[in-house]
Amino acid sequence: MKKEVGFYPGDILVPKEGLRPRFSVVACDQFTSQPDYWKQVAELAEGNPSAYHMIFPEAMLGKVDFEEKVRSIHQTTRWYLDAGLFDSYPQSYIYLERTLADGSVRKGLMGVLDLECYDYKKGSRSLARATEGTVLDRIPPRVKIRQGAALEMPHVMLLIDDPEGTVVEPFAGRKDEMPLCYDFDLMLGGGHLTGWQADHRYYESVSAALKKLGDSKAFNQRLGTAHKSPILYAVGDGNHSLAAAKACWEEIKSGLTEEEIACHPARWALVELCNLHDPSLHFEPIHRAVFDVDHKTFLKELTAWAGTQPRGKKGAAGRQCFTLLLDEKEKSVYIEKPAHTLTVGSVQKFLDEYVAKHGGTVDYIHGEEALRQLTEQGAAGILLPAMDKNDLFRTVALDGALPRKTFSMGEAWDKRYYLECRRI
């Protein structure tokens, strides 16, 4: 396989039909401050083969023994593989349609990404790049989980800038010619998921379309830029999981021969490819909840830092605005001299400095309702504006990775659910 495209068919495993509704659970980094959600997942998964037993939900961090949980994950992946719980789709893509909570349908294409084409480091010029800043101390725990696992399951979603719909969308008209892989309702309001096998015979058409998108001249024309290295794949979700896969691969390949490097299974990561221009794909802001801080001190320093204007007053050019939820009150806050081109970047800079000085913790919350619930329980909440998704590729090409947790592709219940697996 050549590196020029970087996305290929893979040997994909799917849990057998009767297992899927309880096997498939939402991404581990969702509902981090809502333990009741994960309690419901645990109850549904109890006594059943489930991805829940193969992941470490971030809501559990600091609440269970990490090393013991990792050992359990490793044992479970080996047991599931040995027990023959999966249907096999060798050298295939899987075209999938996810019916979301609002009834819209998001299209995707499962395949494997060549990790030689991906680099999450600042200043990367690789075909696949991180869209947000990678928090390096979040990588080692994920590496430890991946290193001893027999299987990988992705919640990674890669975005392509394909305004004409040339890569994923054509499969919608080919469903009658492709075998059905799965068709079932996801748990806890996750909607519905249907997938079809697209075997290696579709590789040439997918590869040709991707090659056109990755052409340097076409890329710069689309974005209105000049002499920028093409970004073919932008990581929309699962940045740290993909970074962990990259870190594992770099460690493994250091001890391999050239022949072994060319075919080692750890060189690839299973991902879902989505079109940025899919009408169902919306960029939602990721809000901030601040815990264990003195509210008076927090408000005083935030006000001094931002230069608050009376609620409702329109911001002047160059100012940024967000909403503060504190002590059952709601207030518009204007940042007079922004430290970053995006509001989220300016706010994150303040929060990092405040927590370093005064203590407290910050959590990243998907959904306004979830944030409001946390503020009712005593957190300070910061409601942030959404980013225009059409600015993503151009911003990353010009400025590099965005601040961490800048955007979310949909609400928490619309995130990718674990289902498809692959041997590593």
Side-chain angles (χ1 to χ4, degrees), residues 29 59 63 151 189 201 231 277 326 352 418:
D29 58 351
K63 299 175 183 176
L151 295 168
R201 290 172 294 181
I231 306 170
H277 301 278
L326 191 68
D352 289 343
Y418 300 108

mmCIF file of all heavy atoms in Angstrom, residues 29 59 63 151 189 201 231 277 326 352 418:
data_model
loop_
_atom_site.group_PDB
_atom_site.id
_atom_site.type_symbol
_atom_site.label_atom_id
_atom_site.label_comp_id
_atom_site.label_asym_id
_atom_site.label_seq_id
_atom_site.Cartn_x
_atom_site.Cartn_y
_atom_site.Cartn_z
ATOM 1 N N ASP A 29 -15.405 9.437 25.977
ATOM 2 C CA ASP A 29 -15.185 10.798 26.462
ATOM 3 C C ASP A 29 -16.476 11.612 26.510
ATOM 4 O O ASP A 29 -16.428 12.845 26.607
ATOM 5 C CB ASP A 29 -14.139 11.509 25.602
ATOM 6 C CG ASP A 29 -14.506 11.567 24.120
ATOM 7 O OD1 ASP A 29 -15.489 10.911 23.719
ATOM 8 O OD2 ASP A 29 -13.810 12.261 23.366
ATOM 9 N N ALA A 59 -15.599 9.289 32.711
ATOM 10 C CA ALA A 59 -16.355 9.578 33.922
ATOM 11 C C ALA A 59 -15.850 8.760 35.104
ATOM 12 O O ALA A 59 -16.107 9.101 36.269
ATOM 13 C CB ALA A 59 -17.844 9.284 33.699
ATOM 14 N N LYS A 63 -12.029 7.246 40.046
ATOM 15 C CA LYS A 63 -13.067 6.583 40.838
ATOM 16 C C LYS A 63 -12.903 5.067 40.877
ATOM 17 O O LYS A 63 -13.543 4.401 41.687
ATOM 18 C CB LYS A 63 -14.450 6.942 40.284
ATOM 19 C CG LYS A 63 -14.735 8.441 40.340
ATOM 20 C CD LYS A 63 -16.059 8.792 39.677
ATOM 21 C CE LYS A 63 -16.280 10.305 39.693
ATOM 22 N NZ LYS A 63 -17.522 10.692 38.979
ATOM 23 N N LEU A 151 -7.835 -6.125 20.369
ATOM 24 C CA LEU A 151 -8.728 -5.475 19.422
ATOM 25 C C LEU A 151 -8.695 -3.971 19.615
ATOM 26 O O LEU A 151 -8.458 -3.483 20.726
ATOM 27 C CB LEU A 151 -10.177 -5.952 19.628
ATOM 28 C CG LEU A 151 -10.503 -7.421 19.351
ATOM 29 C CD1 LEU A 151 -11.885 -7.745 19.905
ATOM 30 C CD2 LEU A 151 -10.435 -7.715 17.859
ATOM 31 N N GLY A 189 -31.040 6.481 23.475
ATOM 32 C CA GLY A 189 -31.275 7.648 22.629
ATOM 33 C C GLY A 189 -30.242 7.896 21.564
ATOM 34 O O GLY A 189 -30.174 9.004 21.019
ATOM 35 N N ARG A 201 -13.220 -4.086 -4.076
ATOM 36 C CA ARG A 201 -13.479 -3.669 -5.456
ATOM 37 C C ARG A 201 -13.794 -2.177 -5.556
ATOM 38 O O ARG A 201 -13.715 -1.598 -6.643
ATOM 39 C CB ARG A 201 -14.637 -4.488 -6.033
ATOM 40 C CG ARG A 201 -14.283 -5.950 -6.293
ATOM 41 C CD ARG A 201 -15.498 -6.757 -6.681
ATOM 42 N NE ARG A 201 -16.451 -6.860 -5.581
ATOM 43 C CZ ARG A 201 -17.597 -7.525 -5.653
ATOM 44 N NH1 ARG A 201 -17.939 -8.118 -6.794
ATOM 45 N NH2 ARG A 201 -18.412 -7.575 -4.604
ATOM 46 N N ILE A 231 -4.356 19.341 3.519
ATOM 47 C CA ILE A 231 -4.905 18.540 4.610
ATOM 48 C C ILE A 231 -6.004 17.695 3.988
ATOM 49 O O ILE A 231 -7.035 18.217 3.580
ATOM 50 C CB ILE A 231 -5.504 19.423 5.725
ATOM 51 C CG1 ILE A 231 -4.485 20.445 6.216
ATOM 52 C CG2 ILE A 231 -6.012 18.553 6.873
ATOM 53 C CD1 ILE A 231 -5.097 21.496 7.144
ATOM 54 N N HIS A 277 -19.178 18.479 4.706
ATOM 55 C CA HIS A 277 -20.349 19.132 4.128
ATOM 56 C C HIS A 277 -21.624 18.299 4.228
ATOM 57 O O HIS A 277 -22.651 18.689 3.671
ATOM 58 C CB HIS A 277 -20.052 19.506 2.668
ATOM 59 C CG HIS A 277 -18.875 20.416 2.533
ATOM 60 N ND1 HIS A 277 -18.955 21.774 2.725
ATOM 61 C CD2 HIS A 277 -17.565 20.136 2.254
ATOM 62 C CE1 HIS A 277 -17.751 22.309 2.559
ATOM 63 N NE2 HIS A 277 -16.897 21.337 2.274
ATOM 64 N N LEU A 326 -23.827 31.481 36.745
ATOM 65 C CA LEU A 326 -23.249 31.441 38.089
ATOM 66 C C LEU A 326 -24.313 31.816 39.119
ATOM 67 O O LEU A 326 -24.975 32.851 38.993
ATOM 68 C CB LEU A 326 -22.068 32.423 38.166
ATOM 69 C CG LEU A 326 -21.187 32.338 39.411
ATOM 70 C CD1 LEU A 326 -20.402 31.026 39.437
ATOM 71 C CD2 LEU A 326 -20.215 33.528 39.460
ATOM 72 N N ASP A 352 -7.027 28.226 32.437
ATOM 73 C CA ASP A 352 -5.761 27.569 32.776
ATOM 74 C C ASP A 352 -5.008 28.369 33.826
ATOM 75 O O ASP A 352 -4.464 27.809 34.804
ATOM 76 C CB ASP A 352 -4.895 27.405 31.526
ATOM 77 C CG ASP A 352 -5.443 26.361 30.560
ATOM 78 O OD1 ASP A 352 -6.289 25.550 30.979
ATOM 79 O OD2 ASP A 352 -5.021 26.365 29.383
ATOM 80 N N TYR A 418 -19.206 2.809 19.710
ATOM 81 C CA TYR A 418 -18.303 1.704 19.394
ATOM 82 C C TYR A 418 -19.102 0.526 18.836
ATOM 83 O O TYR A 418 -20.129 0.148 19.376
ATOM 84 C CB TYR A 418 -17.564 1.237 20.653
ATOM 85 C CG TYR A 418 -16.716 2.293 21.302
ATOM 86 C CD1 TYR A 418 -17.100 2.873 22.506
ATOM 87 C CD2 TYR A 418 -15.522 2.712 20.719
ATOM 88 C CE1 TYR A 418 -16.327 3.833 23.113
ATOM 89 C CE2 TYR A 418 -14.740 3.683 21.321
ATOM 90 C CZ TYR A 418 -15.144 4.246 22.519
ATOM 91 O OH TYR A 418 -14.383 5.220 23.117
#
